[in-house]
Amino acid sequence: MKIQTRWPFCPISWGIFLLIYLSVYTYPLTLNFNWLFSELICMKTLWAILAVLILLLQVRLWVGEGSFAQVWALEEAIAKQQAENAGLAARNDRLYAEVRNLRNQQGAVEERARMNLGLIRDDETFFLVVEK
């Protein structure tokens, strides 16, 4: 099986083109590679600049403000805060239920007064039992 390539994509044809170009556009019998070296130097500097740019972008991604480490730390802090908020919401629900109970039922208020304030009615007698 023979692979056919067209002229612009064949490496051998590029080599032939380079030889023709060098022989026609340079001084006869003199090979001047200065332009080729200057092109290579320009390409090397371009690649070096691009590599440094990519490294700088990567550094910003991994270290500093908005980096992966900071995002992970913020996600952990958010999870802790949400857990604390859930506990406080449950406590608030209990307190609201107690307030509703105290507002709606007179017996709940009296019970609270007896337990916390020592309420005794006029027709009641108070007995204090002391254990020894």
Side-chain angles (χ1 to χ4, degrees), residues 39-54:
E39 290 292 323
L40 287 175
I41 291 171
C42 287
M43 289 302 291
K44 285 182 182 181
T45 56
L46 178 66
W47 279 109
I49 290 170
L50 288 175
V52 167
L53 212 90
I54 289 173

Side-chain angles (χ1 to χ4, degrees), residues 14 19 34 38 44 51 55 64 67 69 82 87-88 102 110 114:
W14 279 106
L19 286 176
N34 289 338
S38 66
K44 285 182 182 181
L55 286 175
S67 65
Q82 286 175 342
L88 292 174
L102 290 174
E110 186 176 334
R114 286 180 186 275

Side-chain angles (χ1 to χ4, degrees), residues 20-85:
I20 292 171
Y21 180 81
L22 289 175
S23 64
V24 171
Y25 292 107
T26 58
Y27 293 107
L29 302 175
T30 310
L31 293 177
N32 187 2
F33 288 107
N34 289 338
W35 67 272
L36 183 61
F37 291 133
S38 66
E39 290 292 323
L40 287 175
I41 291 171
C42 287
M43 289 302 291
K44 285 182 182 181
T45 56
L46 178 66
W47 279 109
I49 290 170
L50 288 175
V52 167
L53 212 90
I54 289 173
L55 286 175
L56 288 176
L57 290 174
Q58 287 290 319
V59 165
R60 170 120 188 186
L61 182 67
W62 291 102
V63 179
E65 187 176 341
S67 65
F68 282 137
Q70 186 181 22
V71 169
W72 291 329
L74 288 175
E75 286 176 353
E76 289 178 4
I78 287 171
K80 287 179 184 177
Q81 189 65 44
Q82 286 175 342
E84 183 180 343
N85 288 349

